[in-house]
Amino acid sequence: MGKILSIFKDWMLPIAMLAGAMIYLIYINIPALSPAGPVLYHIVTFLQPFLLFVLLFLAFCRISPKDMRPRKWHLWLLCFQTLSFVALAVMEIFLPGDYWKVLLESAMLMLICPTATAAAVVTAKLGGDGPGITTYLILINLVTAISVPLVVPLVHPSSEMTFLVSLSMIMAKVFPLLICPCILAWIVRFTMPKLHRKIVRYEDLPFYIWAVNLMLAILMTTRSIVHSTVPAGYQIGIAAVSLACCALQFWAGRMIGKRYGASVTAGQALGQKNTVFAIWMGYTFMTPVTSIAGGFYSIWHNAFNSWQLYRKRHGRQS
């Protein structure tokens, strides 16, 4: 039994990813289940933000407010994301052809996209700096909220989508999920110490919650790909771009973080993305087809995280 449990822990994330894809593929091949589709969709779309809220609440419970301070590597990562986003936007202005513009916009999304809410869970498992990545999570959301409304009009001019409108849309999308868990966690820390001690005692709970959320994320990604009307050439190109962005950002994050003794943390901060938010940004601010880049990126970064966690559990990764 212990061996089976150990194998399950080693392969929990690939199992969650496979389960998410299989559940949706089974569902669409059983016609009798189709009437339940709208209800199931609403359940999943409710559960995803709820589980992310719980994950952030648990992360903030483990962090003392005094540890929430900027690190030197934060500035370098913020510069990397912002400047690469701006550079690609400038390139798109002078680039002919819709196909290449879509690929550039897909890369823009993947580069400016904020760090995933669950990144703190993986970082902790890999032995990284939990407070450091949680602080960066807040900083990059602030930078994204300002950068996207400033830069996107260069490639998608719109009289309706003004800076203030875009800014308010992004703030309304991400900040309730960031600030409310933080406030709630610190209320529990300072007013209910016994409850706080019980919460932090369950160290593996965030990991299991993340596995469930990952299954739901892959389920929705599979749904998006199956029902996509995007031509195969575009899908292949966007998948390749998202894979390249994933590899680049994990590598760049680790190289930057290595200078400050934060290789793992900076790698996760830059490489692990809030792909649900990326999908929303794609169909809200960019050419809608670019939204599938977030779905593909979700597969790549979770596959890489699974490999990292496997190596860590077997003592092969620092």
Side-chain angles (χ1 to χ4, degrees):
M1 186 66 181
K3 188 175 181 180
I4 294 174
L5 199 60
S6 178
I7 293 172
F8 182 72
K9 285 184 177 180
D10 282 344
W11 299 100
M12 180 177 291
L13 300 187
I15 290 170
M17 294 171 69
L18 183 62
M22 291 303 298
I23 287 171
Y24 188 76
L25 292 175
I26 290 170
Y27 161 76
I28 61 170
N29 284 287
I30 301 178
L33 295 176
S34 58
V39 176
L40 294 173
Y41 177 80
H42 286 299
I43 290 173
V44 172
T45 52
F46 167 78
L47 277 177
Q48 279 190 293
F50 173 74
L51 292 176
L52 291 175
F53 183 99
V54 173
L55 277 175
L56 263 186
F57 168 73
L58 294 173
F60 281 118
C61 279
R62 288 168 166 76
I63 298 171
S64 172
K66 65 182 180 182
D67 293 329
M68 298 284 290
R69 64 183 190 279
R71 276 70 165 164
K72 289 181 179 179
W73 56 266
H74 286 167
L75 178 60
W76 289 106
L77 264 61
L78 292 171
C79 288
F80 177 91
Q81 290 195 246
T82 307
L83 294 177
S84 60
F85 179 64
V86 172
L88 290 181
V90 172
M91 285 177 61
E92 186 181 346
I93 295 172
F94 301 101
L95 193 70
D98 291 340
Y99 179 77
W100 297 109
K101 287 180 180 290
V102 164
L103 296 190
L104 267 184
E105 286 183 20
S106 299
M108 287 171 63
L109 278 175
M110 294 303 95
L111 288 165
I112 198 60
C113 182
T115 305
T117 306
V121 178
V122 183
T123 302
K125 284 287 183 183
L126 294 173
D129 175 12
I133 197 168
T134 306
T135 304
Y136 186 78
L137 175 64
I138 295 172
L139 293 174
I140 187 55
N141 273 282
L142 282 168
V143 169
T144 300
I146 296 170
S147 300
V148 170
L150 284 174
V151 175
V152 167
L154 296 175
V155 293
H156 283 280
S158 172
S159 58
E160 296 179 359
M161 198 68 74
T162 64
F163 173 79
L164 289 178
V165 170
S166 301
L167 178 64
S168 62
M169 288 175 68
I170 296 174
M171 296 282 277
K173 187 77 175 176
V174 299
F175 276 88
L177 198 60
L178 285 175
I179 302 304
C180 294
C182 177
I183 294 172
L184 180 59
W186 289 349
I187 288 173
V188 170
R189 171 184 285 270
F190 294 115
T191 65
M192 293 173 270
K194 288 185 179 179
L195 176 60
H196 180 259
R197 285 195 294 271
K198 287 182 179 179
I199 290 172
V200 298
R201 190 181 304 160
Y202 298 101
E203 294 184 1
D204 285 334
L205 181 59
F207 184 68
Y208 295 123
I209 293 174
W210 179 50
V212 174
N213 199 64
L214 173 58
M215 181 186 72
L216 297 177
I218 296 300
L219 185 153
M220 296 301 284
T221 297
T222 306
R223 175 181 179 272
S224 175
I225 293 172
V226 167
H227 293 286
S228 175
T229 57
V230 178
Y234 277 81
Q235 291 199 42
I236 293 169
I238 292 171
V241 165
S242 64
L243 177 58
C245 289
C246 183
L248 170 66
Q249 291 182 102
F250 272 111
W251 175 82
R254 280 182 165 268
M255 290 300 101
I256 293 169
K258 193 174 182 179
R259 297 177 56 190
Y260 304 98
S263 177
V264 168
T265 310
Q268 295 305 125
L270 199 56
Q272 191 173 345
K273 298 292 188 180
N274 183 349
T275 54
V276 174
F277 183 59
I279 291 169
W280 175 79
M281 283 200 300
Y283 65 70
T284 303
F285 299 108
M286 302 287 196
T287 307
V289 66
T290 60
S291 62
I292 66 172
F296 284 117
Y297 197 101
S298 177
I299 297 171
W300 309 139
H301 78 168
N302 282 303
F304 183 66
N305 281 334
S306 300
W307 177 76
Q308 289 190 103
L309 290 167
Y310 176 83
R311 287 175 60 83
K312 179 67 177 179
R313 281 182 59 82
H314 291 269
R316 299 175 188 171
Q317 181 166 322
S318 57

